[in-house]
Amino acid sequence: MTLNFPELAVGDAYKAKILEARAAGNNPHVRFEVCKLLESAIQACHCQWDAAEILDESAKRLGPGLSGDAASRAAKLRELLKRKEEAAILLGGTNFELRDRIRDGGVLTVEYPWTVERHLRRDPELIRVINLEFQDGGKEATCYLGQSTLAKHSSEDMLGMFAARGVRAGECILTDRTATGVCSTWSSNSCSNCYTRLLENPTRAECCSESYCSAACFDLAMETNHKPLCGKDFTWLQEAARGLTHNASPLRPLLMLRILAACVQSDVEKSPLDHPLIARLKPLVNKDHLDVFTLNESVAVPIKILEQLGIDVFANRNFDTDILHSIWTRLANNKAGSPDPRLGFVDEITPHLPLFNHSCEPNVEWRRENGSTTVRFFAIRPIKKGEELFCSYLDVGGIPVNQRQEMLWPWFEGPCLCSRCKEEEKSSSI
């Protein structure tokens, strides 16, 4: 707390709570101090709901003389939450949206002072590795990665995708498969990797009951995250998100599960921030930006996931709270989510979609393939060799520039820099 990183204090205090619960004996004074530390840290993360839950639990478990103060503070928080709920109801929306408005806290997205340089900036070697991916199988690459034309200076960490050759209107530029996509409505007749509907004679894993729509999906899952997931039951995560039709917190743990499993399969002795998929994601680090934070989705569930994956969260520093939070700041700024008639809501990190920059006048559009997490990119118009490829993060259509800027603010924490916005802003100022 003295370092002003309350999310890390929450992680440490929650681990202390786990150890206290597992320890032999029953010392109410130790329990009181642990709960007091956890509540204080949670409050600093603006998580009043979680703080009230901890205080209620403390009041029930602590002995006489210690429970009264906890119960009193919990009651005050419940009154505050009641007023918060009344205000949230006025905004309308689904039950999931209402739940998030009441329960979500927030912490600043910051660069921790002990973070090594390679985890703060993407380097030329990463660009080289990604460009090799586009040459897979010896085929002619249709695109490549380089510094974006939107970069303000040559040293800025702002990458972009470019056409490696001339592209016809309507031509498919790239197919982006991922093993780190999740959905809220999954069924047994769906591919275990991309969730597309299974046809006759699917590819089956020999080690378990998982089935895949193709050899490509099977290979990708085996190479990415299947091994630590195999034979483990994570339906407790899936059930929490079932029926979801828009982006909400229950999908966050599911996405983290896929990502963390990929990190575990890759190498538990290395930092997850070195994983090839995470390393290419640029975090949104801004001293004024608050990222959603809750005890459950940000700390408790990731710890439970890691323990189920076989990680000792008390001994393995590679999966400490600062690493988990750093992973999430990258996922939150780069994941692609949208509703799907069959899958409910889809959230995913694909290898290449996060590398496309936004434009309100894009030359590329991306589509999900056949109700799955596989993404294909198509040219909207003829594109010249060397031209930067832009897609639109939102359906901006004929929306005025000032409204577009407001809608796009969560991605940029500043104005959209695309040519359309610049031209329209110039025209409106005349």
Side-chain angles (χ1 to χ4, degrees):
M1 291 287 285
T2 55
L3 295 175
N4 201 28
F5 301 128
E7 69 276 12
L8 306 189
V10 171
D12 289 343
Y14 185 76
K15 288 178 182 177
K17 183 174 182 290
I18 294 174
L19 291 175
E20 185 276 326
R22 294 176 182 175
N26 183 12
N27 190 327
H29 291 281
V30 172
R31 185 177 302 137
F32 174 77
E33 290 300 325
V34 169
C35 290
K36 185 178 177 181
L37 285 171
L38 181 55
E39 184 232 336
S40 175
I42 289 172
Q43 289 268 37
C45 295
H46 312 287
C47 302
Q48 289 90 2
W49 176 278
D50 290 326
E53 292 287 294
I54 290 295
L55 288 169
D56 280 341
E57 180 187 347
S58 301
K60 293 175 183 177
R61 295 183 63 203
L62 294 172
L66 294 176
S67 61
D69 182 52
S72 175
R73 295 207 306 277
K76 291 179 181 178
L77 278 176
R78 293 296 181 196
E79 282 297 316
L80 173 64
L81 288 165
K82 184 178 180 180
R83 294 195 296 271
K84 191 174 181 180
E85 181 178 5
E86 290 170 352
I89 290 173
L90 294 176
L91 296 174
T94 66
N95 289 335
F96 277 117
E97 288 173 315
L98 178 62
R99 173 190 179 276
D100 287 352
R101 289 180 193 134
I102 298 170
R103 299 189 183 189
D104 284 353
V107 295
L108 295 174
T109 52
V110 297
E111 294 180 349
Y112 297 115
W114 54 84
T115 305
V116 296
E117 182 64 25
R118 73 176 186 277
H119 294 158
L120 298 175
R121 306 285 182 271
R122 296 171 294 185
D123 59 25
E125 175 61 18
L126 177 67
I127 297 175
R128 187 189 71 81
V129 170
I130 292 174
N131 282 331
L132 286 175
E133 295 173 2
F134 298 132
Q135 301 169 13
D136 185 37
K139 298 178 182 178
E140 180 188 14
T142 55
C143 53
Y144 66 90
L145 182 67
Q147 188 176 46
S148 173
T149 56
L150 300 177
K152 297 175 183 176
H153 49 79
S154 59
S155 60
E156 184 178 3
D157 181 18
M158 189 168 191
L159 305 179
M161 297 287 284
F162 295 82
R165 58 170 175 79
V167 182
R168 303 183 309 276
E171 183 179 350
C172 180
I173 299 172
L174 180 67
T175 298
D176 209 12
R177 297 183 185 276
T178 182
T180 50
V182 296
C183 68
S184 62
T185 307
W186 178 84
S187 62
S188 58
N189 68 336
S190 298
C191 173
S192 296
N193 183 67
C194 76
Y195 303 109
T196 193
R197 197 186 304 276
L198 291 174
L199 302 177
E200 292 183 5
N201 301 317
T203 302
R204 301 187 187 279
E206 294 181 358
C207 53
C208 60
S209 60
E210 302 292 337
S211 298
Y212 301 88
C213 65
S214 64
C217 266
F218 171 82
D219 291 342
L220 183 59
M222 295 299 147
E223 293 166 4
T224 306
N225 56 18
H226 178 78
K227 186 176 179 180
L229 293 173
C230 185
K232 297 182 175 69
D233 184 6
F234 286 98
T235 53
W236 58 276
L237 276 179
Q238 186 71 55
E239 288 304 317
R242 189 170 296 279
L244 187 69
T245 56
H246 76 288
N247 194 11
S249 54
L251 273 178
R252 173 174 175 167
L254 279 171
L255 189 58
M256 282 293 282
L257 168 64
R258 292 262 181 155
I259 293 289
L260 291 175
C263 295
V264 170
Q265 178 161 320
S266 176
D267 190 347
V268 296
E269 299 303 320
K270 287 185 178 180
S271 170
L273 299 180
D274 287 322
H275 188 278
L277 182 58
I278 298 173
R280 70 185 62 195
L281 305 178
K282 184 178 180 180
L284 178 59
V285 179
N286 187 306
K287 63 182 179 65
D288 298 320
H289 176 74
L290 278 176
D291 189 50
V292 172
F293 187 91
T294 70
L295 174 61
N296 192 50
E297 280 87 15
S298 304
V299 176
V301 170
I303 285 176
K304 186 176 179 180
I305 288 172
L306 287 167
E307 290 194 318
Q308 200 168 341
L309 292 175
I311 299 298
D312 184 346
V313 295
F314 300 99
N316 194 328
R317 172 68 182 83
N318 287 330
F319 294 91
D320 214 343
T321 308
D322 61 323
I323 303 296
L324 295 176
H325 187 62
S326 295
I327 291 173
W328 180 248
T329 61
R330 286 158 171 76
L331 299 184
N333 193 42
N334 293 276
K335 63 188 181 72
S338 63
D340 182 272
R342 189 175 69 87
L343 302 178
F345 195 90
V346 177
D347 227 359
E348 63 183 318
I349 291 288
T350 70
H352 303 118
L353 178 56
L355 302 173
F356 284 79
N357 287 313
H358 166 84
S359 173
C360 296
E361 199 169 36
N363 52 12
V364 171
E365 66 174 345
W366 63 275
R367 311 171 198 159
R368 284 205 173 88
E369 181 185 71
N370 299 327
S372 74
T373 57
T374 299
V375 171
R376 291 187 186 275
F377 298 85
F378 295 88
I380 296 174
R381 57 168 175 77
I383 300 172
K384 297 178 181 179
K385 179 180 179 179
E387 186 177 346
E388 184 164 1
L389 305 174
F390 292 97
C391 63
S392 181
Y393 294 174
L394 293 172
D395 182 10
V396 294
I399 299 173
V401 61
N402 59 328
Q403 292 182 30
R404 293 203 309 272
Q405 297 285 16
E406 185 176 339
M407 292 167 64
L408 291 163
W409 184 269
W411 276 278
F412 308 137
E413 293 287 325
C416 174
L417 301 175
C418 77
S419 57
R420 177 183 170 187
C421 283
K422 288 181 178 179
E423 285 297 320
E424 291 183 15
E425 285 185 330
K426 187 185 297 183
S427 299
S428 63
S429 63
I430 297 175

